[in-house]
């Protein structure tokens, strides 16, 4: 999300408008999404708090869990987002700025409520965490190895990890199975794959080969090239458990 609208980019750049927040939220709820994730991609780079008005509006539309990320820098910020109706908060750049934030959130709300998002890029085996990825002018190497930060985030209390594989983002050629498999070997909490979905087969592949707990997608859903009911039917046909 940027400027109150849903946007989608390619490798975290060249974002284009994808629709209205509330309209898409309602559509995905009706189609059978298990959970929605909302990223305010410019809140952290701009050093501002997330606008909670849209969180309240979305909460009135949904009866499925939703997670919110962007500019959450303190327990008070998270408390306000949760009070507006979100079930989880996700932290990324603010946690890299001050890792103790993860501990504080886990102590206050419980690990089940705290997601750490990791934007990762690099050659196989040399993956690095990136910061402020929502702003192409400010994105930078955060000075951390992806797998090291993944382990530290868990030790600090993260109850879920979303691994955003930046080179796959928007490409629609499949998830980064190699990177996600390495992450799985280091991850003892639910691991969510993000970046690269272009077909139902991409989903089944990442579940079967990388052992992730969930798979996140955006563009392929926004433009209707993948429909959630058909995707779930495909996964069930492969013996992968999904909610009907």
């Amino acid at each position: 999300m940027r400027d109150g609208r849903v946007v989608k980019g390619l490798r975290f750049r060249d974002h284009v408008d994808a629709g209205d927040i509330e309209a898409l939220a309602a559509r995905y709820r009706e189609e059978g999404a298990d959970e929605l994730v909302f990223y305010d991609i410019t809140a952290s780079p701009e050093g501002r708090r997330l606008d909670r008005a849209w969180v309240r509006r979305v909460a009135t539309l949904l009866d499925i869990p939703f997670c919110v990320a962007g500019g959450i820098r303190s327990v008070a910020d998270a408390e306000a987002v949760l009070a507006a109706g979100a079930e989880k908060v996700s932290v990324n750049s603010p946690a890299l700025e001050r890792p103790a934030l993860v501990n504080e959130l886990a102590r206050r709300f419980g690990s089940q409520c705290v997601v750490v998002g990791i934007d990762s890029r690099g050659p196989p085996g040399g993956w690095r965490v990136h910061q402020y990825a929502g702003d192409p002018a400010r994105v930078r190497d955060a000075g951390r190895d992806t797998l090291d930060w993944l382990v530290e985030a868990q030790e600090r209390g993260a109850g879920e990890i979303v691994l955003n594989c930046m080179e796959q983002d928007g490409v629609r050629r499949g998830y980064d199975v190699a990177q996600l498999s390495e992450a799985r070997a280091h991850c003892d909490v639910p691991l969510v794959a993000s970046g690269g979905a272009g077909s139902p087969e991409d989903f089944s592949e990442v579940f079967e080969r990388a052992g992730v707990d969930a798979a996140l997608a955006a563009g392929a859903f926004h433009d209707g090239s993948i429909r959630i009911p058909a995707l779930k039917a495909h996964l069930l046909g492969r013996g992968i458990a999904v909610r009907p």
Side-chain angles (χ1 to χ4, degrees):
M1 293 161 33
R2 183 180 63 192
D3 300 327
R5 297 283 293 176
V6 178
V7 296
K8 187 67 187 84
L10 178 65
R11 293 178 173 143
F12 285 62
R13 295 177 177 270
D14 303 321
H15 292 94
V16 297
D17 188 273
D20 175 76
I21 297 168
E22 292 159 78
L24 284 174
R27 174 181 140 196
Y28 294 139
R29 181 263 178 204
E30 291 299 319
E31 287 190 3
D34 296 317
E35 184 171 331
L36 298 182
V37 184
F38 297 85
Y39 296 109
D40 184 332
I41 63 172
T42 57
S44 289
E46 292 175 358
R48 61 172 173 81
R49 288 187 173 87
L50 182 141
D51 176 11
R52 296 184 294 278
W54 66 261
V55 180
R56 289 190 290 269
R57 294 195 302 270
V58 165
T60 67
L61 298 172
L62 298 180
D63 57 5
I64 58 173
F66 71 101
C67 177
V68 172
I72 297 171
R73 291 184 167 79
S74 68
V75 167
D77 289 342
E79 192 155 26
V81 169
L82 294 169
E87 276 75 24
K88 301 177 188 177
V89 291
S90 180
V91 290
N92 189 326
S93 293
L96 291 164
E97 295 166 5
R98 192 172 67 85
L101 174 63
V102 181
N103 304 71
E104 294 165 5
L105 295 175
R107 280 196 300 268
R108 174 64 180 87
F109 306 110
S111 292
Q112 82 290 338
C113 191
V114 181
V115 181
V116 170
I118 301 175
D119 298 331
S120 178
R121 167 182 284 159
W127 303 293
R128 302 281 291 176
V129 181
H130 284 65
Q131 196 169 6
Y132 307 128
D135 182 350
R138 293 197 62 195
V139 61
R140 67 189 187 198
D141 188 311
R144 287 178 175 269
D145 174 86
T146 296
L147 298 178
D148 289 347
W149 175 232
L150 182 150
V151 170
E152 181 180 339
Q154 293 174 85
E155 292 173 345
R156 289 182 175 276
E160 183 175 313
I161 301 292
V162 176
L163 184 59
N164 303 305
C165 300
M166 296 175 69
E167 289 302 313
Q168 305 301 112
D169 177 68
V171 176
R172 304 195 194 188
R173 295 176 184 165
Y175 293 92
D176 188 340
V177 171
Q179 185 172 182
L180 288 158
S181 296
E182 280 293 317
R184 175 78 284 169
H186 291 77
C187 192
D188 298 320
V189 300
L191 175 64
V192 182
S194 176
S199 70
E201 289 74 22
D202 292 335
F203 285 83
S204 53
E205 178 188 44
V206 78
F207 284 119
E208 292 167 349
R209 294 183 55 200
V212 299
D213 298 282
L216 182 153
F221 291 145
H222 294 337
D223 68 12
S225 59
I226 297 178
R227 293 291 184 181
I228 293 170
L231 171 59
K232 288 193 169 187
H234 166 79
L235 293 173
L236 281 169
R238 297 291 291 260
I240 298 167
V242 298
R243 292 186 183 92

